[in-house]
Amino acid sequence: MAQPLKLGLFGFGTVGQGLYGVLNETRGLNAEIVRICVKDRQKQRPIAREHFTFEPSELLEDPELDVIVELIDTADEAFAIVQRALANGKAVVTANKKMVAEHLGELVELQQQYGVPLLYEAACAGSIPIVRNLEEYYDNDLLSSLSGVLNGTCNYILTRMYEESVDYAPVLADAQAKGFAESDPTLDVDGLDAKYKLVILTGHAFGTIPAPADVLTLGIRQASAHDFQFAREKGYKLQLEALSRRLPGERLASYVLPRFVRPSDLIHNVSQEFNGVVVEAAFAEQQFFMGKGAGSYPTASAVLSDISALSFSYKYSYKKRAQNAPLALDRDVTLRVYLRYPTGHEPVLEQLGVHNIEVRHSAEGVSYVIGRLQLGTLLSRHEELRHEPFFLALMPEQPELDQGEPAEAAAAEAVAARS
Amino acid sequence: MAQPLKLGLFGFGTVGQGLYGVLNETRGLNAEIVRICVKDRQKQRPIAREHFTFEPSELLEDPELDVIVELIDTADEAFAIVQRALANGKAVVTANKKMVAEHLGELVELQQQYGVPLLYEAACAGSIPIVRNLEEYYDNDLLSSLSGVLNGTCNYILTRMYEESVDYAPVLADAQAKGFAESDPTLDVDGLDAKYKLVILTGHAFGTIPAPADVLTLGIRQASAHDFQFAREKGYKLQLEALSRRLPGERLASYVLPRFVRPSDLIHNVSQEFNGVVVEAAFAEQQFFMGKGAGSYPTASAVLSDISALSFSYKYSYKKRAQNAPLALDRDVTLRVYLRYPTGHEPVLEQLGVHNIEVRHSAEGVSYVIGRLQLGTLLSRHEELRHEPFFLALMPEQPELDQGEPAEAAAAEAVAARS
């Protein structure tokens, strides 16, 4: 490759600026940013005005550019940019998880139609090379589950609540002040960001791309000091886990839920703004990947690695998707949960169909139960109940299964017991 | 790929049998073992006699075979097999770390000369896909260090010594009885196995393949309950760490040494027979990979993944080696060490050139110092002193650097301070 790759960049926020800095400090990579398209004509920029344009077509229609790097916030605009770039024969690198998750099927088709690659390692788990490992290394036939902590903001908040015994609101406010959480934290704390990442990773792990709306997603907004007191008493941590697990009969369980985590669990040590991913395969057993999940430089480094891969003609092959009939999302999965609510709000138990209650606890106006419910019921009802003051988290595998049973059977049974 | 890959297998020990089982249980992979070459004509085998031959040329000269899978113990015989297989235009998959480490430069040339690939993911850190990640994902320009726990046997022994406060000999005996350690444990407990893996990984991380003899390697044979008492008092664990770190001036520090590890260290949680690898890159910061480092099925799964990669025409490109002048191994690195010896054996301090002693401790016939020594001195002298009754381990970064200094500078300073 004699000629450097010529890049057109959309967006010049923290990641875009990080990428610009990283590219300038990297000898090895044969690529240069030719022009940057931004929206705000008034904003002061840290580099000279001549690098910028406000007209997308100056990048998208420029035959000199090989690659479009898309780093804007808005998913719909990003999708329009990516569509046009691919149609114009340009390779694309993006970090926009919402856009990729919502359009992954179409994006696979577009890549095949126009014969140009789209890479998005930066959209999933920051600097961890998980998309590429799922795509290249783990044979789908042997892969039983993919799970992990995929949102650094939630993990930062949960780590601080656990370590400092403080409540949700002040930790969120502090995280916002420090730039670890957005002023509108919805995408992060309601689990949507983790859901988008899970959708993409599930596509590369199993060849099936779940519709985001079908993935049960509860966040951490209702977590309180009560839940952390419970966690500490039991020797657990509380983490927001995203999981997709293959079930018998070509089915798939897929959800994002808070979960109480034992010290023996690989994600137990994922703290602060780190992300961690666990891949379970039949013969390799558990594999664990951990790295910074957010921040301008870790994300920029993933973008950079995709650019580097393009310079060696890398593309995702999506071979699992081509080889396999899609797995069906299973709603009939029984979950073992902890459900905490203000004493007196017991109707929520019936609304969520909680059954097989093992533990009922009530003290000083706060109650919790430990019992079971169906994934499908929760998926149908949780939206209408989202303003109800309850907090739900998965419990770890059943204690009685810890002894004697093979670990894998116990984990499979507990995480996704069929009713 | 219409035709299945036809494999010839050398060796039918635990990994070979694991591979045979894994291949038979895997639908997705288009490959079959046509014939297996073994040595012992008398040994009972778990599968029918017709699968076996005792004549290497029946595999190596068979034009029908596409791939030779080499899973024998002896490095020299393995190298002869691999040379002949490559010369005959056959792709090769091997798990033999000693053979690959000792001949990596030649093996790169042979692959280029004959235009066929050699893959050896199973030779490094069992089931962790680290060779491929270093080769494909981490740009060498941004990579500052590669380190980790690479020997599952040592880690198993050290974990049990730590958790049960028992001494080395009974734990080793028990590990041997359970099949976690060989009857001759030298390769593992003297750090040689970890060294071979480090040599290979260093080649893929930095493009420089160190000569195994130039990599300072001390094992855990002399570890005792005294050292674990020290570790517990300080809040450390003791692990055998392999490390290669890029130093200023196109130099490289590379060694395998026991190290006291803080809870904040990523490898702190690598316990039992697991392996863990930490990759430090300028912008991605620390990335951590963990998985089973030994055992027939984890190793077989790495072999299987290489076979799968061959079916998609994958090969290592060794581009860092082609792009870069080799880094020189730096002997002039100052190490901060803990050195424990029987009181009265103080001459060992002078023999090893221990200086800047911060702590001297002596009680009940056992002494230790904390001080500094030069990597080069230790490399020159440790062979002649190997029967001396001392135990040496690296200390973590200096306490005074924990406060205020940027973490990266502190770590770099501590791990590889230039004198």
Side-chain angles (χ1 to χ4, degrees):
Chain A
M1 190 194 55
Q3 295 294 317
L5 279 184
K6 293 190 182 302
L7 314 179
L9 174 61
F10 280 87
F12 204 62
T14 54
V15 177
Q17 292 176 40
L19 177 67
Y20 193 89
V22 168
L23 262 179
N24 281 340
E25 289 174 52
T26 307
R27 281 177 302 135
L29 191 63
N30 201 10
E32 57 171 305
I33 296 177
V34 175
R35 191 162 298 160
I36 305 166
C37 182
V38 292
K39 275 186 142 173
D40 187 340
R41 287 169 190 264
Q42 308 308 324
K43 197 167 174 180
Q44 288 294 317
R45 310 279 176 188
I47 59 171
R49 200 174 178 91
E50 73 213 37
H51 294 288
F52 294 96
T53 177
F54 307 99
E55 180 45 63
S57 64
E58 285 196 21
L59 274 59
L60 294 169
E61 306 297 333
D62 182 349
E64 193 204 17
L65 297 180
D66 309 297
V67 179
I68 295 297
V69 180
E70 180 286 301
L71 299 173
I72 66 173
D73 285 339
T74 328
D76 291 344
E77 275 181 51
F79 184 55
I81 289 167
V82 171
Q83 278 181 304
R84 213 167 127 197
L86 294 173
N88 286 346
K90 297 184 190 311
V92 178
V93 175
T94 179
N96 198 312
K97 53 218 71 161
K98 182 169 194 277
M99 184 271 289
V100 176
E102 286 178 338
H103 299 285
L104 186 49
E106 286 165 271
L107 290 168
V108 176
E109 310 296 326
L110 287 170
Q111 291 176 74
Q112 284 161 352
Q113 184 180 346
Y114 296 110
V116 278
L118 167 70
L119 301 182
Y120 40 80
E121 189 64 77
C124 295
S127 55
I128 303 174
I130 184 65
V131 176
R132 220 157 326 153
N133 274 287
L134 290 171
E135 182 72 13
E136 302 300 315
Y137 193 77
Y138 294 103
D139 191 277
N140 77 92
D141 204 35
L142 303 173
L143 205 64
S144 52
S145 83
L146 166 98
S147 61
V149 171
L150 300 182
N151 182 272
T153 304
C154 286
N155 208 51
Y156 175 83
I157 293 171
L158 293 174
T159 300
R160 289 203 47 202
M161 289 179 75
Y162 176 81
E163 289 180 353
E164 299 167 30
S165 299
V166 281
D167 230 323
Y168 173 79
V171 174
L172 174 63
D174 191 49
Q176 287 171 322
K178 288 187 169 141
F180 293 149
E182 307 283 342
S183 53
D184 175 3
T186 304
L187 274 182
D188 292 318
V189 300
D190 288 346
L192 302 172
D193 174 87
K195 185 218 302 251
Y196 297 134
K197 292 166 178 169
L198 179 66
V199 164
I200 300 169
L201 295 180
T202 303
H204 286 275
F206 300 107
T208 290
I209 305 163
D214 291 344
V215 177
L216 172 64
T217 302
L218 268 69
I220 64 162
R221 204 186 273 271
Q222 305 269 19
S224 81
H226 296 292
D227 310 311
F228 284 90
Q229 188 184 332
F230 173 82
R232 268 187 297 271
E233 284 170 6
K234 306 291 182 190
Y236 302 148
K237 266 191 187 171
L238 181 60
Q239 289 176 304
L240 183 67
E241 183 181 58
L243 175 141
S244 283
R245 178 181 292 277
R246 180 197 288 276
L247 301 176
E250 305 299 307
R251 303 182 76 80
L252 187 73
S254 210
Y255 53 73
V256 177
L257 291 172
R259 180 161 80 86
F260 291 108
V261 173
R262 292 210 168 104
S264 58
D265 200 303
L266 288 172
I267 62 169
H268 190 268
N269 300 308
V270 181
S271 59
Q272 301 291 350
E273 74 272 35
F274 276 84
N275 279 195
V277 179
V278 180
V279 174
E280 264 188 55
F283 302 108
E285 304 180 30
Q286 288 192 323
Q287 303 272 305
F288 179 57
F289 301 78
M290 189 162 87
K292 283 259 174 90
S296 61
Y297 269 23
T299 307
S301 91
V303 172
L304 189 75
S305 185
D306 277 350
I307 295 169
S308 171
L310 287 177
S311 77
F312 294 97
S313 304
Y314 180 75
K315 59 176 194 277
Y316 302 138
S317 67
Y318 301 101
K319 57 179 183 268
K320 296 174 189 175
R321 191 156 179 267
Q323 283 168 2
N324 299 281
L327 304 176
L329 279 183
D330 195 338
R331 298 166 59 96
D332 198 21
V333 169
T334 304
L335 303 172
R336 182 166 178 255
V337 301
Y338 158 100
L339 187 75
R340 190 258 310 144
Y341 51 92
T343 304
H345 273 62
E346 279 71 17
V348 77
L349 298 182
E350 197 175 324
Q351 287 164 319
L352 291 173
V354 182
H355 55 85
N356 289 56
I357 292 175
E358 306 158 29
V359 174
R360 291 177 189 272
H361 182 93
S362 191
E364 298 173 11
V366 177
S367 295
Y368 70 79
V369 298
I370 295 170
R372 287 168 192 277
L373 49 70
Q374 302 310 107
L375 186 152
T377 313
L378 195 53
L379 187 61
S380 314
R381 306 265 172 84
H382 86 276
E383 192 54 37
E384 69 193 75
L385 298 173
R386 70 192 294 257
H387 297 294
E388 293 292 314
F390 70 88
F391 176 73
L392 183 145
L394 285 181
M395 290 291 290
E397 58 268 39
Q398 294 134 289
E400 70 272 22
L401 288 179
D402 280 3
Q403 313 287 335
E405 296 274 336
E408 187 167 295
E413 162 73 13
V415 174
R418 301 296 304 275
S419 61
Chain B
M1 189 194 55
Q3 294 295 317
L5 281 183
K6 294 192 181 301
L7 315 179
L9 173 61
F10 280 88
F12 203 62
T14 55
V15 177
Q17 291 176 38
L19 177 68
Y20 193 88
V22 168
L23 261 178
N24 281 341
E25 289 175 52
T26 308
R27 280 179 300 134
L29 190 63
N30 202 9
E32 56 171 306
I33 296 177
V34 174
R35 192 161 298 160
I36 305 165
C37 183
V38 291
K39 275 185 142 175
D40 187 341
R41 288 171 190 262
Q42 309 309 324
K43 197 168 175 180
Q44 287 294 318
R45 310 281 175 186
I47 59 171
R49 202 173 176 92
E50 73 212 38
H51 295 289
F52 295 95
T53 176
F54 308 100
E55 179 45 63
S57 64
E58 286 197 20
L59 274 58
L60 294 168
E61 306 298 334
D62 182 349
E64 192 203 18
L65 297 181
D66 310 298
V67 179
I68 295 296
V69 180
E70 181 286 299
L71 299 173
I72 66 172
D73 284 339
T74 327
D76 291 343
E77 275 181 51
F79 184 54
I81 289 168
V82 171
Q83 278 181 304
R84 212 167 128 199
L86 294 173
N88 286 346
K90 298 184 190 309
V92 179
V93 174
T94 178
N96 199 312
K97 54 218 72 161
K98 182 167 193 279
M99 184 271 290
V100 176
E102 287 178 339
H103 299 284
L104 187 49
E106 287 164 89
L107 291 169
V108 176
E109 311 297 327
L110 287 171
Q111 291 176 73
Q112 284 160 355
Q113 184 181 343
Y114 296 109
V116 277
L118 167 70
L119 302 181
Y120 39 81
E121 189 66 76
C124 296
S127 55
I128 303 174
I130 185 65
V131 176
R132 219 157 326 154
N133 275 287
L134 290 171
E135 181 72 13
E136 302 300 314
Y137 194 77
Y138 294 103
D139 192 276
N140 77 94
D141 203 36
L142 304 172
L143 204 63
S144 52
S145 83
L146 166 97
S147 61
V149 171
L150 300 182
N151 183 272
T153 304
C154 286
N155 208 51
Y156 175 83
I157 292 171
L158 294 172
T159 300
R160 290 204 45 202
M161 290 179 76
Y162 177 81
E163 290 180 353
E164 299 166 30
S165 299
V166 281
D167 228 324
Y168 172 79
V171 175
L172 173 63
D174 191 50
Q176 287 170 322
K178 288 186 170 140
F180 293 150
E182 307 283 342
S183 53
D184 175 3
T186 305
L187 274 181
D188 291 319
V189 302
D190 287 347
L192 301 172
D193 173 87
K195 185 220 300 252
Y196 297 133
K197 293 168 178 169
L198 180 66
V199 165
I200 300 169
L201 295 180
T202 303
H204 286 275
F206 299 108
T208 290
I209 304 164
D214 291 344
V215 176
L216 171 63
T217 302
L218 267 69
I220 64 162
R221 205 186 274 271
Q222 306 268 20
S224 81
H226 296 292
D227 311 311
F228 285 90
Q229 187 183 333
F230 173 83
R232 269 187 296 269
E233 283 169 7
K234 305 292 182 190
Y236 303 149
K237 265 190 188 173
L238 180 60
Q239 290 176 303
L240 183 68
E241 183 180 58
L243 175 141
S244 282
R245 179 181 293 277
R246 180 197 290 275
L247 301 175
E250 304 299 307
R251 301 183 79 78
L252 187 73
S254 210
Y255 53 73
V256 177
L257 291 172
R259 180 162 79 85
F260 291 109
V261 173
R262 291 210 168 103
S264 58
D265 201 302
L266 288 173
I267 62 168
H268 190 269
N269 299 309
V270 181
S271 60
Q272 302 291 351
E273 75 271 36
F274 276 85
N275 279 196
V277 179
V278 180
V279 174
E280 264 188 56
F283 302 108
E285 305 179 29
Q286 287 191 323
Q287 303 270 306
F288 178 56
F289 301 78
M290 188 162 88
K292 284 259 174 90
S296 61
Y297 268 24
T299 306
S301 92
V303 172
L304 189 75
S305 185
D306 277 351
I307 295 170
S308 172
L310 287 178
S311 78
F312 295 99
S313 304
Y314 180 75
K315 59 176 193 275
Y316 302 138
S317 67
Y318 301 100
K319 56 179 186 268
K320 296 173 188 175
R321 190 156 181 266
Q323 282 168 1
N324 299 281
L327 305 175
L329 278 184
D330 195 339
R331 298 166 60 95
D332 198 20
V333 168
T334 304
L335 303 172
R336 182 166 178 256
V337 301
Y338 158 100
L339 188 74
R340 191 256 311 143
Y341 51 92
T343 305
H345 273 63
E346 279 72 15
V348 76
L349 299 181
E350 198 174 322
Q351 287 165 318
L352 290 173
V354 181
H355 54 85
N356 289 55
I357 292 176
E358 306 159 30
V359 174
R360 291 178 190 271
H361 182 93
S362 191
E364 298 172 11
V366 177
S367 296
Y368 68 80
V369 299
I370 296 170
R372 287 166 193 278
L373 50 69
Q374 302 311 106
L375 186 152
T377 312
L378 195 53
L379 187 61
S380 314
R381 305 265 173 83
H382 86 275
E383 192 54 36
E384 69 193 74
L385 298 173
R386 68 190 295 255
H387 296 295
E388 293 291 314
F390 69 88
F391 175 73
L392 183 145
L394 284 182
M395 290 290 291
E397 56 268 38
Q398 294 132 293
E400 70 272 20
L401 288 178
D402 279 3
Q403 313 287 335
E405 296 273 337
E408 188 166 296
E413 162 74 10
V415 174
R418 301 295 305 273
S419 63

